[in-house]
Amino acid sequence: MMNASKSKYALMLAAGALSMALGGCGGSDGEDGAKGSDGTAGGSPAMTLESLNFAFYDTTVQDGVASLRFQVTNQNDEAVVGLQKLRFYALQLLPQGATGAGNASQWQYIVDETCDLTSTCPGTLVDKKNGVYTYTFAADFNDEAATRTAFNPELAQRFMIRAYNTPLPDGTAVPTANSIVDYTISGNEPGYSRKVVATESCNKCHGDVSTSHHRGAYKDVNMCASCHTPGRVSEGNQFSALIHAKHFKMEDGKLSPVYVSDALDTCSSCHNDQGEATPDWGNWSKVPTAQSCGSCHSNIDFAKGQGHSQQPDNANCVACHNSEWTEQIHTSGIQDRKAVIAQRGMAATMVANTDNTVTLTVTLLDANGNALDANAELGKIKRLEAITNVGPNFPVMGYNPNPATGEAHKDADLVKDSALQAGVTVADGKLVYTIPALPFGSDDADTAFTLVGLEMCSSGNALVNCTADGDTTSMKSQLAFATKSGQAASQRHIDSVNATACQNCHGDTLQLHKGYHTGFVLSEQMGREVNGKLTVGLDACVTCHTPDGTYASGAKKGALEMKLHVLHNQVGVITECTQCHTNLNLDAFKHKGALATSAGKYTTPITAVCTSCHVMGSEGFHSQATLESYGAIIDGDYVPANQAAQTESCFYCHKPTAADHTVVNM
């Protein structure tokens, strides 16, 4: 008979009323592998494995012997036969309150076993040769010496499987895959769970969160939460503590995202209702504990009473921190910011003068787009900034002086600390400023463009008159153009990457560069029509992020085309081009010249952009000698690299797309 030991936990569990929903196999003309049979997956075994799908039939622990039966199919629902290496995990879940009043639910790690048919397998793996497998654990779950924690049949149970990328005996490549099944010994649906965050929420920013962790072995955040448990990992590496510490930090007593992201200003960015995938998504506000709260608010020691009244346990947390209050406190900041940003806008125009100066006129707008008198608004303006460059597709003024023109981009404050700056006037309620002479030229260099940033003083959700130590909010930015010739302005392409892609991770009120600059919020004010749709691009960013880089060293990550790749790869969030790119506009390279790739050195643009992700000479990418044979100049002087910019022949063979940037056209 099964292990039927009773404990205090039995009194705390809610009995499940639904029969356990274990997925059936769907092979054509095949049986469903119902309980007690091996099932069949009709047709020939799978010959290609792009993905693995698991269906569980029997999961049981009988007299301490744990076993499971499951079927594996490929992307076409064909049976997968001959898997060589699998890892099996067993866990159980303590329900909320089981370890003490106010305590959260907690996974207990029982055991894991790796079965490698090419070497050793502690348990017994049987391949039924029709896609169905069985595995029986070697560990006796009733033997506490054989497990990490004492098995309790009254608790909700979990089996997990990791399929390794060990090829099949015939050499067929196998993708890494994971699967999870939750069950009870009684056979009922578990009446409680701990599914707090969905993998989809992680992948919203990370693309495929697995690629940057454990060599891509785990693709389900529930596997992460199941392994990073008390007793299995060290203090601080338990999942709630680890994941919060990776995304948040304390600075000057305030909590802020580790990465620049407004989206992380609210807990609901990760903790949100995604149906069956997150039945416990509301735990972040409903189950406050010293462990979960302290993992973000790391400046508090609840046990010692530092930064908070002393709390020896979690029994009284919810008495003060009820769900509604907790949710309001953790979301009010970003809601207030959105409310402030919505209250003001800008319109800007530029006119080129005969002496190559440009007159910039900025009109402040209310929430309905009506013009405001700048004189009446000055008291609320912390700073209004205008940054100007020439040549939207390939700016001719550097962040530092450009090697060819000797010119740097022009950055001027029109208003600072509520006061008009030198050279700025107010005419008909509009701010007017003359930008010093610009190095206009032909073609793209006939166009000057200015990014206008506005920072206003705020308190809560209201705009207020500025004080020395008051809060400020970065407002919607504006982008204006002017041409020396009077012809239509040249504009940088925005059909490859646009602000929507940034907002997926960073939020729609991202205050870029607040502090050193006014802070820039990309909004519809900067948008223009692309294929019949209003599109907000990143074209304003090149006013500063020029081909010459943004640091005195001319660091490789300076130019916009490269900087975004480098920075996002450094934090491990980019796995697919399509996370940011709607397409790859290869024609954009026709307008580019040399890009700074190291201190004082420049590289032809296609090679510079490609090597901002790829390492020369690494597997699957060309060596430096090969790239140079196709016309590239790598870390050379500016003039020859710029002259060779349009002679690179990379696109003779390569025709990359956002969906597959490895496409070769032979």
Side-chain angles (χ1 to χ4, degrees):
M1 57 185 296
M2 75 172 128
N3 183 331
S5 62
K6 302 293 183 182
S7 72
K8 64 179 181 180
Y9 302 118
L11 300 177
M12 302 177 184
L13 306 182
L18 299 176
S19 60
M20 186 175 183
L22 299 178
C25 60
S28 59
D29 299 322
E31 299 174 7
D32 65 0
K35 188 174 182 66
S37 74
D38 291 333
T40 61
S44 302
M47 301 301 292
T48 60
L49 304 181
E50 297 176 9
S51 62
L52 301 183
N53 303 307
F54 291 77
F56 291 90
Y57 301 139
D58 295 321
T59 51
T60 185
V61 180
Q62 188 81 17
D63 294 329
V65 178
S67 62
L68 64 161
R69 188 166 61 96
F70 56 96
Q71 185 176 52
V72 187
T73 55
N74 72 348
Q75 67 282 353
N76 298 320
D77 212 21
E78 298 167 331
V80 176
V81 177
L83 291 176
Q84 296 295 291
K85 188 175 181 181
L86 298 164
R87 190 175 189 179
F88 299 91
Y89 309 74
L91 304 98
Q92 60 191 15
L93 181 61
L94 293 172
Q96 179 182 333
T99 58
N103 288 354
S105 57
Q106 178 180 303
W107 282 110
Q108 291 187 316
Y109 201 90
I110 299 175
V111 73
D112 64 72
E113 296 180 357
T114 301
C115 179
D116 187 345
L117 296 181
T118 66
S119 57
T120 59
C121 182
T124 304
L125 178 65
V126 178
D127 182 349
K128 302 288 188 177
K129 307 302 182 183
N130 62 352
V132 175
Y133 297 78
T134 64
Y135 184 74
T136 303
F137 282 80
D140 181 351
F141 281 24
N142 286 339
D143 181 1
E144 294 187 20
T147 60
R148 289 179 178 268
T149 191
F151 170 69
N152 187 328
E154 305 294 339
L155 300 178
Q157 306 291 325
R158 170 172 285 181
F159 281 140
M160 305 192 303
I161 299 176
R162 170 189 173 185
Y164 287 79
N165 57 357
T166 303
L168 301 182
D170 64 0
T172 300
V174 175
T176 297
N178 310 138
S179 193
I180 293 174
V181 61
D182 293 338
Y183 68 101
T184 65
I185 298 301
S186 66
N188 292 323
E189 181 80 11
Y192 62 102
S193 71
R194 188 170 173 76
K195 294 181 178 179
V196 178
V197 172
T199 305
E200 182 179 333
S201 293
C202 304
N203 290 345
K204 182 179 177 182
C205 286
H206 292 277
D208 181 353
V209 70
S210 69
T211 58
S212 56
H213 302 82
H214 297 290
R215 300 181 181 179
Y218 304 105
K219 301 179 181 299
D220 189 328
V221 71
N222 289 294
M223 302 226 14
C224 308
S226 300
C227 285
H228 285 268
T229 55
R232 187 177 186 277
V233 295
S234 59
E235 192 70 28
N237 285 320
Q238 296 168 19
F239 191 65
S240 62
L242 176 68
I243 204 67
H244 288 153
K246 289 288 185 182
H247 289 84
F248 293 95
K249 60 185 175 182
M250 295 298 301
E251 290 184 330
D252 300 325
K254 294 184 178 180
L255 190 65
S256 62
V258 172
Y259 310 119
V260 180
S261 177
D262 279 5
L264 292 179
D265 277 1
T266 172
C267 302
S268 58
S269 299
C270 300
H271 298 277
N272 48 66
D273 187 359
Q274 297 198 29
E276 293 181 0
T278 56
D280 305 304
W281 70 273
N283 278 16
W284 72 272
S285 63
K286 297 176 181 177
V287 191
T289 66
Q291 294 74 26
S292 60
C293 297
S295 62
C296 278
H297 300 279
S298 54
N299 59 335
I300 294 176
D301 188 324
F302 293 94
K304 294 180 179 179
Q306 297 176 351
H308 189 280
S309 60
Q310 189 173 25
Q311 300 293 320
D313 53 40
N314 298 312
N316 295 318
C317 296
V318 75
C320 295
H321 302 281
N322 63 72
S323 180
E324 182 178 356
W325 179 89
T326 301
E327 184 172 355
Q328 181 181 0
I329 289 296
H330 286 78
T331 60
S332 60
I334 196 167
Q335 298 304 325
D336 286 346
R337 184 186 305 162
K338 288 182 177 181
V340 170
I341 291 172
Q343 294 176 45
R344 292 291 184 271
M346 285 187 292
T349 59
M350 295 169 63
V351 177
N353 304 313
T354 56
D355 60 356
N356 287 346
T357 62
V358 174
T359 301
L360 171 68
T361 302
V362 178
T363 305
L364 300 175
L365 307 173
D366 66 14
N368 297 316
N370 300 313
L372 297 170
D373 185 345
N375 289 305
E377 292 293 300
L378 283 177
K380 302 172 186 175
I381 298 177
K382 179 67 176 179
R383 189 179 178 194
L384 194 150
E385 180 182 16
I387 308 171
T388 303
N389 213 317
V390 172
N393 289 288
F394 191 69
V396 301
M397 297 195 294
Y399 181 84
N400 301 296
N402 177 283
T405 66
E407 297 264 8
H409 74 299
K410 300 186 184 300
D411 188 354
D413 287 330
L414 277 63
V415 179
K416 192 170 184 179
D417 294 327
S418 302
L420 295 177
Q421 299 300 286
V424 181
T425 60
V426 177
D428 296 327
K430 302 173 182 179
L431 296 159
V432 182
Y433 171 68
T434 299
I435 301 167
L438 300 174
F440 283 109
S442 60
D443 299 323
D444 195 44
D446 179 49
T447 299
F449 60 107
T450 296
L451 171 62
V452 184
L454 174 63
E455 182 181 7
M456 300 192 73
C457 297
S458 58
S459 177
N461 61 7
L463 289 169
V464 297
N465 288 326
C466 296
T467 59
D469 57 354
D471 290 334
T472 65
T473 299
S474 300
M475 309 297 283
K476 299 175 183 177
S477 303
Q478 181 59 279
L479 188 59
F481 297 86
T483 61
K484 182 62 186 294
S485 67
Q487 301 298 312
S490 170
Q491 292 186 322
R492 189 181 180 92
H493 76 288
I494 59 173
D495 60 346
S496 177
V497 177
N498 59 61
T500 301
C502 305
Q503 290 168 352
N504 285 338
C505 290
H506 295 287
D508 56 5
T509 60
L510 174 64
Q511 302 177 100
L512 292 163
H513 301 306
K514 182 182 178 183
Y516 183 76
H517 291 287
T518 55
F520 308 104
V521 176
L522 307 184
S523 74
E524 76 287 345
Q525 284 190 169
M526 299 173 60
R528 67 178 191 264
E529 189 174 293
V530 175
N531 297 324
K533 181 180 180 181
L534 179 66
T535 302
V536 180
L538 305 183
D539 44 342
C541 301
V542 296
T543 52
C544 290
H545 296 286
T546 67
D548 303 289
T550 48
Y551 304 103
S553 63
K556 184 173 183 177
K557 62 183 178 182
L560 181 69
E561 296 91 334
M562 302 154 56
K563 182 183 182 74
L564 296 180
H565 291 159
V566 173
L567 289 183
H568 286 86
N569 278 318
Q570 283 177 345
V571 296
V573 298
I574 296 299
T575 59
E576 300 290 342
C577 299
T578 50
Q579 288 173 245
C580 300
H581 288 274
T582 53
N583 66 62
L584 301 183
N585 187 335
L586 304 185
D587 287 338
F589 284 96
K590 296 177 182 178
H591 302 285
K592 298 184 189 301
L595 304 180
T597 45
S598 61
K601 299 297 180 181
Y602 289 78
T603 298
T604 43
I606 299 174
T607 297
V609 172
C610 292
T611 55
S612 64
C613 283
H614 296 282
V615 177
M616 286 184 290
S618 63
E619 183 178 355
F621 196 72
H622 297 303
S623 66
Q624 179 170 339
T626 300
L627 291 168
E628 289 174 340
S629 72
Y630 293 135
I633 289 181
I634 300 168
D635 285 341
D637 292 333
Y638 178 81
V639 172
N642 204 47
Q643 291 173 339
Q646 295 304 313
T647 60
E648 288 181 290
S649 58
C650 303
F651 293 156
Y652 181 79
C653 295
H654 294 277
K655 301 295 180 185
T657 67
D660 183 1
H661 84 290
T662 66
V663 172
V664 176
N665 181 34
M666 300 299 291

